[in-house]
Amino acid sequence: MTIQREMAAKLLSSVADEQESVFQDQSACNTMLARYAGNAALVLRFEELARRFERLLARFKWKDFFGGSITNVRLPWFVPKRLRRLDAIHEIEADHPVLVQPEQDDRPEWVMKE
């Protein structure tokens, strides 16, 4: 594992640890952070970390997703399944394309992979 992957794994693991700890103490935590950190774990192929975030999302209640929301639209009385799941990997990769590494390609580093 490269130093960058190791650092990413430690960071995502510490986010999962903190989210789980806060959830145990307060029965709630940051749902958006859990989804996006889980998506990052999927992209980086850290399957066990992604599963931890999915398990955490499955435990959230309606108030964790919508409680305190100020909106002019009617909120659903249930939590849509999509909010309890991580995004599909092809959707994440489409939204966040990978940059080409210089050693893999002779194009400039900033050119995005197609």
Side-chain angles (χ1 to χ4, degrees):
M1 182 181 293
T2 65
I3 187 99
Q4 293 88 353
R5 285 189 58 77
E6 188 177 321
M7 288 172 52
K10 285 180 182 178
L11 174 65
L12 289 170
S13 182
S14 68
V15 169
D17 292 343
E18 182 65 22
Q19 290 283 288
E20 290 164 346
S21 174
V22 169
F23 187 83
Q24 282 222 299
D25 293 346
Q26 302 172 9
S27 297
C29 63
N30 189 327
T31 58
M32 287 181 63
L33 177 57
R35 285 194 77 230
Y36 289 118
N39 284 345
L42 276 179
V43 167
L44 295 170
R45 308 292 193 259
F46 298 140
E47 287 84 12
E48 181 52 38
L49 280 170
R51 281 192 291 272
R52 282 178 69 186
F53 286 110
E54 272 196 329
R55 285 191 300 268
L56 189 59
L57 286 168
R59 296 170 60 191
F60 292 151
K61 296 181 179 14
W62 185 92
K63 68 178 178 67
D64 299 321
F65 288 97
F66 302 117
S69 296
I70 299 173
T71 179
N72 61 352
V73 297
R74 181 179 224 146
L75 293 173
W77 58 271
F78 62 94
V79 178
K81 288 181 182 177
R82 178 161 168 56
L83 294 180
R84 293 192 180 279
R85 294 189 196 131
L86 301 178
D87 294 332
I89 191 69
H90 68 275
E91 292 175 8
I92 299 168
E93 289 175 341
D95 290 342
H96 307 283
V98 177
L99 294 177
V100 174
Q101 297 297 320
E103 62 272 4
Q104 296 172 334
D105 199 324
D106 60 355
R107 294 181 289 178
E109 187 174 338
W110 55 269
V111 174
M112 297 171 92
K113 191 184 237 178
E114 299 174 80

